[in-house]
């Protein structure tokens, strides 16, 4: 059985399309659907609650991609695990094709497919204009053919299928990349480092609308306004990635044989629990989830009491909660009164 894990955040119409397409094109009894809803307010939760074949996790805030996926992975029952974006449409034979490739060899750890909206060499234009056209095209295109499976260093996380044994060996997604971006690069490298290989299946195609959860409910002005913040997020996570995986060079454009030998000779990067908690705290701070932010910063301070970044941010949250006494105590403990009371902005994790 395949556990299909989908994150939902204000994408009701797309989520419906995705789930209905899974039901239509996947053999009943050979999969389960787990949806993690990140506090949608567009009717998604109410619709999902009415679906008898969906295991639903309801978050009371937008926990982000890495955290949400890990919640789904933690309860998954399948022998293989699939991270699938809510803005995708499944097609004939999609999952059976991917599973054939996944189990074609013991050393294959993960597989991905082609789509219309992607990077990483996984994009191709399909000759269709609507769902009927998509299904007609993919009935001919999605024919399992091992000559079209290629070894790939990285897979993009819109449709990322891997064996349970891989998950049990390398663990969950790295939550240092909360709310999202670079966690799929990181997971791909960890799969290779653990001794497995990754295949891109050019014999399988699904539709991907792309960036729906980022754009849902936002005007053009909002999108423009958020572009700078999004680019800053990319920069922060790129730095986290570089700190974790040093001296990779231009890895995104490398073939596996160029990098994997040196990758496997390195020590396995350790999970930075302090950094992950800082990232989760900052994510909660930006969403004005003050109690959650304080909880994450408190986790940092329990592991590293002298961490000035966490002290500053915890003090700022205390002020947001109206607890000036705690804010002053925290600021004094780290000698960061100016940062807390004059600057008044959170400090990033990197």
């Amino acid at each position: 059985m395949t556990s299909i894990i989908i994150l939902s955040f204000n994408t009701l119409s797309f989520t419906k399309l995705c789930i209905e397409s899974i039901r239509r094109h996947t053999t009943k009894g050979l999969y389960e659907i787990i949806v993690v809803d990140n506090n949608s307010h567009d009717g998604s939760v109410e619709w999902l609650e009415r679906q008898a074949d969906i295991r639903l996790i309801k978050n009371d805030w937008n926990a982000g991609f890495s955290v949400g996926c890990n919640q789904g992975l933690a309860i998954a029952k399948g022998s293989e695990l699939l991270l699938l974006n809510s803005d995708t449409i499944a097609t004939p034979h999609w999952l059976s094709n991917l599973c054939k490739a996944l189990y074609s060899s013991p050393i294959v750890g993960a597989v991905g497919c082609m789509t219309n909206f992607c990077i990483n060499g996984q994009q191709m234009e399909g000759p269709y204009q609507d769902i009927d056209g998509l299904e007609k095209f993919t009935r001919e295109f999605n024919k399992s053919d091992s000559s079209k499976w290629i070894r790939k260093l990285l897979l993009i996380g819109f449709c990322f299928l891997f064996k349970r044994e891989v998950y049990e060996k390398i663990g969950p997604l790295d939550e240092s990349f909360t709310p999202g971006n670079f966690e799929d690069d990181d997971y791909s490298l960890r799969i290779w480092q653990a001794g497995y290989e990754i295949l891109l299946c050019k014999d399988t195609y699904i539709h991907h609308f792309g960036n729906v959860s980022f754009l849902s409910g936002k005007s053009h002005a909002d999108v423009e306004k958020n572009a700078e913040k999004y680019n800053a997020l990319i920069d922060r996570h790129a730095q986290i990635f570089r700190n974790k995986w040093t001296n990779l060079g231009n890895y995104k454009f490398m073939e596996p044989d160029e990098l994997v030998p040196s990758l496997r000779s390195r020590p396995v990067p350790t999970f930075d629990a302090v950094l992950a908690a800082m990232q989760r705290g900052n994510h909660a701070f930006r969403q004005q989830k003050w109690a959650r932010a304080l909880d994450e910063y408190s986790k940092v301070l329990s592991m590293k009491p002298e961490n000035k970044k966490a002290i500053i941010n915890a003090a700022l949250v205390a002020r947001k909660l109206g607890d000036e006494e705690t804010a002053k105590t925290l600021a004094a403990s780290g000698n960061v009164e100016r940062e807390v009371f004059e600057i008044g902005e959170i400090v990033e994790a990197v």
Side-chain angles (χ1 to χ4, degrees), residues 329-342:
T329 301
L330 283 164
S333 72
N335 194 26
V336 290
E337 289 87 348
R338 179 176 176 274
E339 288 86 346
V340 172
F341 297 106
E342 294 181 24

Side-chain angles (χ1 to χ4, degrees), residues 100-278:
K100 283 180 185 177
L102 185 66
Y103 288 102
S104 62
S105 167
I107 65 170
V108 176
V111 298
C113 64
M114 303 298 291
T115 190
N116 59 295
F117 188 95
C118 196
I119 55 174
N120 190 47
Q122 292 181 241
Q123 177 169 322
M124 62 170 285
E125 290 300 324
Y128 59 90
Q129 301 297 322
D130 52 28
I131 292 178
D132 288 341
L134 170 66
E135 299 210 355
K136 181 180 179 181
F137 161 61
T138 50
R139 273 195 294 272
E140 292 300 317
F141 185 90
N142 289 0
K143 293 181 178 179
S144 184
D145 182 351
S146 61
S147 69
K148 295 180 180 178
W149 303 340
I150 65 169
R151 295 164 75 242
K152 196 77 175 169
L153 185 65
L154 307 173
L155 287 176
I156 304 301
F158 77 95
C159 180
F160 199 163
L161 179 68
F162 46 95
K163 294 173 180 173
R164 172 167 288 280
E165 69 180 74
V166 171
Y167 173 67
E168 291 177 349
K169 187 170 185 177
I170 71 174
L173 302 183
D174 189 339
E175 294 180 10
S176 301
F177 298 104
T178 299
N181 286 304
F182 282 92
E183 69 286 319
D184 44 7
D185 285 23
D186 175 75
Y187 211 69
S188 295
L189 295 187
R190 287 161 61 191
I191 290 171
W192 278 103
Q193 191 177 47
Y196 297 95
E197 295 189 352
I198 291 174
L199 297 179
L200 171 59
C201 301
K202 291 193 169 185
D203 60 356
T204 306
Y205 181 103
I206 68 172
H207 183 79
H208 182 211
F209 290 98
N211 289 338
V212 167
S213 62
F214 284 102
L215 301 177
S216 179
K218 294 181 175 66
S219 66
H220 178 72
D222 289 334
V223 171
E224 291 290 322
K225 184 178 179 181
N226 288 337
E228 185 176 344
K229 292 180 180 179
Y230 183 75
N231 289 335
L233 173 69
I234 294 290
D235 290 343
R236 286 196 302 274
H237 288 191
Q239 186 60 54
I240 292 170
F241 185 88
R242 287 192 293 268
N243 290 346
K244 182 175 182 178
W245 299 94
T246 57
N247 302 317
L248 286 186
N250 203 2
Y251 72 97
K252 285 182 179 287
F253 299 96
M254 290 184 180
E255 295 297 323
D257 290 339
E258 296 179 79
L259 185 60
V260 169
S262 66
L263 198 64
R264 289 178 176 169
S265 68
R266 302 173 180 221
V268 176
T270 56
F271 175 71
D272 191 333
V274 171
L275 176 59
M278 277 292 290

